[in-house]
Amino acid sequence: MKFSVCFVCCGLGYDIDVGILINTSIGIEAGWYHLPTVYYNSGKRQYSGYTVHASAVYSVIPPFCLRCYSQISAGLAATKNKLDKTSSGDYRFTHWGPIGSMSFGYEYDSGLRTSIKYTFIAGNRSNRNDHFPTPHSHIISLGIGYHFAM
């Protein structure tokens, strides 16, 4: 389990991830990102929202540091957005898209872990009448977590 504080474009958010390694390299994880508010159009409109995701994870322990680990993951994310101040009031919608991340971390004797992670959540640039665009998210997070051994 890991809790992170993340920096997205121009704001702060947070996320919680829970995962399990099936063997020493392959695993799955699920998580939730609270995305920061994004302003556009001269500050007149704003997006706010959150993302839930499920991903497959590949983990590697580099030979030069046996307490270090690096991970890559890819999966599917659902981003729930709210667009404020449209001509007809607030507008809420969900966008499904891919998510990918890379992380590097260090595990201490007690099972405590620290990490830095880059995550990309694909948005949607379409601006059809029935769907507003969803911003892409480039997320850099600093995390602290705990590795439960079974």
Side-chain angles (χ1 to χ4, degrees), residues 68-138:
C68 299
Y69 64 93
S70 60
Q71 293 180 329
I72 58 171
S73 65
L76 184 63
T79 302
K80 185 78 171 175
N81 287 290
K82 182 176 85 169
L83 177 62
D84 295 336
K85 302 178 184 173
T86 64
S87 59
S88 58
D90 293 349
Y91 184 72
R92 298 173 188 271
F93 53 94
T94 301
H95 171 71
W96 289 85
I99 183 172
S101 66
M102 299 179 294
S103 65
F104 184 77
Y106 185 84
E107 185 167 343
Y108 301 91
D109 284 333
S110 62
L112 185 68
R113 289 180 157 198
T114 56
S115 64
I116 184 165
K117 181 178 182 180
Y118 167 76
T119 303
F120 174 74
I121 304 171
N124 177 13
R125 293 182 183 259
S126 171
N127 194 8
R128 303 184 322 247
N129 290 335
D130 62 337
H131 190 86
F132 284 96
T134 302
H136 296 300
S137 297
H138 296 273

Side-chain angles (χ1 to χ4, degrees), residues 18 54 66 145:
V18 176
L66 297 179

